[in-house]
Amino acid sequence: MEKGNEKVMSLVQLPQKAIKDVQFKLKELENGYKSWLAKQPLPVEAAIVTATTAINGAAIGAFLGVMTQDLTSSLPTPPPQSSLNPDAVAPFQQVQAVAGGPLVQARNFAVITGVNAGISCVMKRLRGKEDLQSSVVAAFGSGAAFSLVSGMGGANPAVNAFTSGLLFAIFQGCSFKVSEMWQSTQRPTADDVYYARTRGMLDKLGLQNYTKNFKRGLLTDSTLPLLTDSALRDVRIPPGPRLLILDHIQRDPELKKSR
C-alpha cells in the first residue's frame, strides 16, 4: 500500500517539478534581460522597449483582425457622391480605422502598445517609479498617436488626437486606480500569521493555490499535526495534493513530535 502511494506521489511530483524548473529558467532569462536593459542609455532602452512591445502588439492585432475579418467585410462604405464632402466621409473612415482587417488591426495595436510602453519606459527612468501620472501620460500619448496614424482625425486631426489621448488617459487612470485597490485587498491580513507555516509547506510542494482552502476550513498552523485525509477532503483539496500534504507532514520531524 505504501509503495502504491509513493508511486502516485512520484507521478504527481514529476510534472510539477518539470513545470517549476521551466518557470525558474524563464524567470532567470527575464531577470537577466531586464538587468541588461536597465544598464543601457535611456534612448536605447526606450527604443528596444517600444520596438519589442510594438511587435507583440502587432501580432495580437493581426490575430484579432483575422478573427473578425468576416465582420469587417460587412462594414458600410461611403456613397460615391460623398467623396468631396470631408464631413460625410469622416464617420466611415473612423469605423474602418477601428475595425479594419488584419493589417489595420496590427498597425493599430502596434502603435498603441509601442507608444505606451516607450513613454512609460522614459517616465519610469526619469521619475524613478511607476505611478498614476506616468500611466496617464503614456496613455495620452498612445491615444493621440493612434488617432493620427489610424486616420480617425478627419477634418480636425489635432483636435481628434487630443480627444482620443484624453479618453485613453481617463480609461488608463481609472484602470490604474482599480488595480491599486485590488492589490491592496491582496496584502497580508492580520490572521495570516496563523498560516505562516502552512504557506511555507504549500509553497515548497508547489501547492500554494490551496492556501485559501486551508483558510476557508480554519486549518491553521496548529492543526497541521492533526490533519487527515478527511479534513483535507472537506476543504475541497483533490486527492493528489492531499497525498503530498499528508506525506510531507508525516516526514516532517517537528510536526511528528507535535502529534
Side-chain angles (χ1 to χ4, degrees), residues 150-165:
S150 65
M152 288 185 64
N156 299 298
V159 173
N160 280 278
F162 178 81
T163 303
S164 297

Side-chain angles (χ1 to χ4, degrees), residues 57-75:
I60 295 171
F63 175 76
L64 292 177
V66 171
M67 297 295 292
T68 59
Q69 200 161 17
D70 292 338
L71 177 63
T72 56
S73 62
S74 61
L75 291 175

Side-chain angles (χ1 to χ4, degrees), residues 56-138:
N56 290 334
I60 295 171
F63 175 76
L64 292 177
V66 171
M67 297 295 292
T68 59
Q69 200 161 17
D70 292 338
L71 177 63
T72 56
S73 62
S74 61
L75 291 175
T77 55
Q81 61 271 25
S82 65
S83 57
L84 299 178
N85 187 348
D87 293 332
V89 176
F92 295 96
Q93 291 177 332
Q94 291 175 354
V95 172
Q96 292 290 343
V98 175
L103 292 179
V104 172
Q105 295 290 8
R107 177 203 63 195
N108 291 347
F109 275 77
V111 169
I112 292 172
T113 57
V115 173
N116 191 298
I119 296 177
S120 295
C121 175
V122 173
M123 294 291 289
K124 182 180 178 181
R125 180 73 77 91
L126 294 178
R127 305 181 75 236
K129 59 181 179 179
E130 292 182 82
D131 56 7
L132 178 62
Q133 289 81 355
S134 298
S135 181
V136 167
V137 170

Side-chain angles (χ1 to χ4, degrees), residues 5-24:
N5 288 341
E6 288 179 1
K7 287 182 179 179
V8 172
M9 286 184 286
S10 63
L11 290 174
V12 173
Q13 287 175 325
L14 280 176
Q16 290 180 345
K17 186 178 184 302
I19 292 172
K20 289 179 72 174
D21 288 344
V22 171
Q23 290 175 336
F24 180 76

